[in-house]
């Protein structure tokens, strides 16, 4: 038996199913809306929300960038900036100090030139030439301390390590090295001794005459006047004093001094500290021995007098303060005393005080050429007028060394 459905019943059944579906969807949507508006999920205790700043910090920590470390880095950066500014300021002060020193030197030179010309000093011609030609910068001025009775010594120096004639001019122009015999005047101005020096100077043209009366007990005064006159005449990096019975290798001396060119105040030589001799009648007796303490005490460190060099600032200091600087009996002690209390670097170089052969010869063969050679027992080369040629032959650096050297 089969059942047949009427068309009207089928249509009603279909409509009812559609409405059911729509009502279900509508109820679901209303339920979502109602739930969002009325029900807020409570936050668990102990859990706080993170702000944007804290989230960034957490991110930095997770990447290995601790904020404390960042603060330390910031402090270091600021400190570095401060140190940089301090360094720049220090350099500016040093530059200003050097400029002031140069201005003082120029003023001192002009003052010396004016006084020398007014007083009719024999060195006034050199000062006039210097002013008219304009000052150039030299590496060093070498003053050879000599006396009226030392003609043979001077000739032996001219025949060995001191260039003559056109070579001396070439040395000045190309290498910036000035070499002069340094001497003052006799007690009788214009006497036979002075006329002999004038004739010798006319022949060789290698003297620097000082406004000073010669005498063995006046070596401290002569040394002071030499440096004051030299720094007024020539603008150089270094000023050297050497005795006329010492052998010198000029190129080696220049190479030695160039190493210290960047230093403002240097005092170079063979540093020593000999005993203060209080007993009268002995050589190198110190009349003011009581200033150095008890008997048997030693002097302060100072360069031995055979050869030493000072930088331009120290030579300028001597010029400016020459009327205040105290003179002791020994000129090397006097020079050392002038630098006590100053910010001066003492450089002890033993190549400035080698012995005569075989000492200097062995060192030359080993490639360590000496700057200066002499005999300690004679405070110079014994019988230097006779022996200096032999010392030059065995210990000299060679003429080509000088002309090929670059300073």
């Amino acid at each position: 038996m089969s059942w047949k459905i009427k068309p009207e019943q089928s249509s009603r059944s279909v409509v009812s199913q559609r409405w059911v579906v729509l009502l279900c969807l509508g109820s679901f949507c209303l339920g979502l809306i109602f739930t969002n508006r009325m029900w807020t999920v409570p936050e668990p205790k102990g859990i706080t929300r993170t702000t944007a700043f804290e989230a960034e910090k957490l991110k930095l920590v997770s990447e290995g960038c601790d904020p404390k470390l960042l603060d330390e880095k910031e402090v270091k950066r600021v400190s570095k900036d401060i140190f940089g500014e301090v360094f720049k300021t220090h350099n500016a002060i040093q530059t200003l100090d050097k400029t002031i020193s140069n201005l003082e030197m120029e003023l001192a030179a002009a003052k010396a030139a004016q006084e020398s010309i007014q007083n009719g000093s024999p060195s006034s011609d050199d000062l006039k030439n210097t002013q008219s030609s304009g000052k150039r910068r030299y590496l060093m001025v070498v003053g050879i301390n000599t006396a009226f009775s030392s003609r043979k010594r001077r000739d032996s120096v001219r025949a060995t390590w001191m260039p003559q004639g056109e070579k001396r001019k070439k040395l000045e122009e190309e290498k910036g090295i000035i070499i002069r015999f340094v001497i003052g005047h006799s007690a009788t101005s214009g006497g036979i001794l002075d006329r002999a020096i004038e004739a010798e100077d006319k022949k060789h043209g290698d003297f620097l005459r000082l406004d000073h009366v010669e005498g063995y007990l006046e070596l401290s005064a002569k040394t002071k006047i030499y440096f004051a006159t030299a720094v007024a005449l020539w603008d150089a990096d270094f000023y050297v004093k050497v005795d006329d019975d010492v052998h010198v290798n000029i190129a080696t001396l220049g190479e030695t001094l160039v190493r210290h060119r960047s230093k403002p105040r240097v005092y170079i030589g063979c540093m020593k500290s000999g005993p203060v001799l209080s007993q009268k009648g002995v050589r190198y007796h110190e009349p003011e021995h009581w200033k150095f303490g008890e008997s048997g005490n030693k002097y302060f460190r100072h360069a031995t007098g055979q050869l030493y060099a000072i930088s331009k600032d120290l030579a300028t200091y001597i010029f400016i303060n020459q009327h205040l600087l105290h003179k002791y009996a020994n000129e090397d002690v006097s020079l050392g005393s002038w630098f006590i209390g100053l910010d001066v670097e003492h450089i002890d170089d033993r190549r400035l005080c080698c012995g005569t052969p075989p000492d200097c010869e062995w060192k030359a063969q080993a490639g360590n050429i000496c700057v200066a050679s002499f005999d300690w027992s004679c405070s110079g080369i014994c019988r230097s007028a006779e022996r200096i040629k032999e010392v030059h032959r065995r210990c000299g650096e060679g003429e080509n060394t000088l002309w090929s050297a670059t300073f």
Side-chain angles (χ1 to χ4, degrees):
M1 179 179 228
S2 60
W3 295 87
K4 293 183 180 179
I5 300 173
K6 294 181 179 180
E8 291 181 358
Q9 291 179 345
S10 177
S11 175
R12 286 178 183 175
S13 176
V14 171
V15 170
S16 299
Q17 290 177 0
R18 290 178 177 175
W19 277 107
V20 169
V21 171
L22 290 174
L23 288 172
C24 288
L25 289 173
S27 300
F28 179 74
C29 292
L30 289 173
L32 288 176
I33 294 172
F34 178 80
T35 302
N36 289 339
R37 286 187 177 182
M38 301 300 294
W39 185 29
T40 58
V41 179
E43 295 183 355
K45 294 182 179 181
I47 300 179
T48 58
R49 292 176 178 247
T50 57
T51 63
F53 176 74
E54 291 173 337
E56 185 66 21
K57 289 178 69 175
L58 290 173
K59 181 181 178 181
L60 291 173
V61 171
S62 65
E63 294 176 355
C65 299
D66 193 338
K68 292 183 179 179
L69 295 177
L70 291 177
D71 292 340
E72 291 178 0
K73 290 180 180 179
E74 179 66 17
V75 171
K76 289 180 180 178
R77 186 187 67 79
V78 173
S79 300
K80 186 176 181 181
D81 292 342
I82 293 173
F83 284 128
E85 292 299 322
V86 171
F87 181 74
K88 290 179 182 178
T89 304
H90 180 68
N91 285 342
I93 292 173
Q94 284 187 326
T95 302
L96 181 60
D97 181 60
K98 188 174 182 180
T99 302
I100 293 173
S101 178
N102 289 337
L103 290 174
E104 288 178 341
M105 191 279 297
E106 295 294 338
L107 179 61
K111 182 179 178 181
Q114 184 179 8
E115 291 178 354
S116 182
I117 293 172
Q118 290 175 350
N119 297 333
S121 170
S123 63
S124 61
D125 291 338
D126 290 331
L127 287 164
K128 289 176 182 177
N129 293 334
T130 302
Q131 286 182 322
S132 62
S133 61
K135 278 196 172 185
R136 62 156 287 183
R137 185 79 170 193
Y138 294 94
L139 170 62
M140 61 180 173
V141 176
V142 180
I144 308 173
N145 183 43
T146 191
F148 290 112
S149 60
S150 300
R151 174 63 186 265
K152 290 183 179 180
R153 286 185 180 181
R154 291 192 292 273
D155 286 340
S156 68
V157 170
R158 293 184 180 112
T160 53
W161 60 268
M162 179 181 181
Q164 291 297 294
E166 292 300 319
K167 288 185 177 180
R168 185 167 60 83
K169 293 181 180 179
K170 181 181 178 182
L171 184 68
E172 296 177 4
E173 295 171 359
E174 295 185 5
K175 305 300 180 182
I177 299 174
I178 304 288
I179 306 177
R180 295 287 189 276
F181 288 106
V182 180
I183 196 167
H185 304 278
S186 65
T188 306
S189 181
I192 188 172
L193 295 176
D194 290 318
R195 292 199 301 270
I197 292 295
E198 290 169 8
E200 189 179 345
D201 190 25
K202 188 175 182 180
K203 179 180 179 181
H204 298 283
D206 54 5
F207 278 91
L208 171 61
R209 302 296 301 276
L210 303 178
D211 186 13
H212 166 75
V213 177
E214 285 291 322
Y216 180 76
L217 298 178
E218 297 298 327
L219 286 179
S220 292
K222 183 178 182 180
T223 300
K224 181 169 61 174
I225 295 172
Y226 157 63
F227 283 120
T229 304
V231 77
L233 278 170
W234 298 289
D235 181 13
D237 293 320
F238 298 96
Y239 298 85
V240 182
K241 177 263 175 183
V242 59
D243 290 338
D244 61 4
D245 55 356
V246 173
H247 179 267
V248 179
N249 284 316
I250 293 295
T252 308
L253 173 60
E255 291 169 354
T256 300
L257 296 182
V258 163
R259 298 192 191 104
H260 309 288
R261 185 181 253 163
S262 62
K263 302 172 183 177
R265 292 171 295 277
V266 290
Y267 174 33
I268 308 171
C270 288
M271 299 296 164
K272 66 174 185 177
S273 179
V276 180
L277 302 178
S278 58
Q279 184 179 353
K280 292 183 179 180
V282 300
R283 192 180 185 187
Y284 306 129
H285 165 64
E286 179 57 70
E288 298 180 272
H289 57 86
W290 62 273
K291 289 185 177 180
F292 299 92
E294 300 300 325
S295 178
N297 282 357
K298 291 185 176 182
Y299 287 112
F300 40 78
R301 287 284 173 182
H302 61 278
T304 186
Q306 285 80 6
L307 186 149
Y308 47 72
I310 62 175
S311 58
K312 175 186 171 183
D313 284 358
L314 295 183
T316 303
Y317 171 81
I318 292 173
F319 177 89
I320 295 173
N321 301 283
Q322 58 183 306
H323 301 297
L324 300 175
L325 298 176
H326 184 72
K327 301 184 294 293
Y328 290 99
N330 302 300
E331 52 97 6
D332 52 356
V333 173
S334 295
L335 184 72
S337 72
W338 299 338
F339 302 145
I340 291 179
L342 301 182
D343 186 12
V344 176
E345 182 176 354
H346 290 58
I347 297 174
D348 182 20
D349 192 332
R350 309 315 289 184
R351 293 184 305 155
L352 274 65
C353 55
C354 295
T356 55
D359 180 46
C360 59
E361 185 177 21
W362 290 342
K363 291 176 180 176
Q365 291 173 353
N368 188 24
I369 298 176
C370 293
V371 173
S373 302
F374 57 88
D375 298 309
W376 282 103
S377 59
C378 297
S379 297
I381 298 175
C382 300
R383 305 188 318 277
S384 65
E386 304 167 13
R387 296 181 57 232
I388 196 170
K389 288 184 179 180
E390 179 67 13
V391 175
H392 184 67
R393 183 182 68 81
R394 297 172 65 179
C395 301
E397 61 195 356
E399 187 175 358
N400 292 333
T401 304
L402 176 59
W403 302 117
S404 61
T406 56
F407 305 116

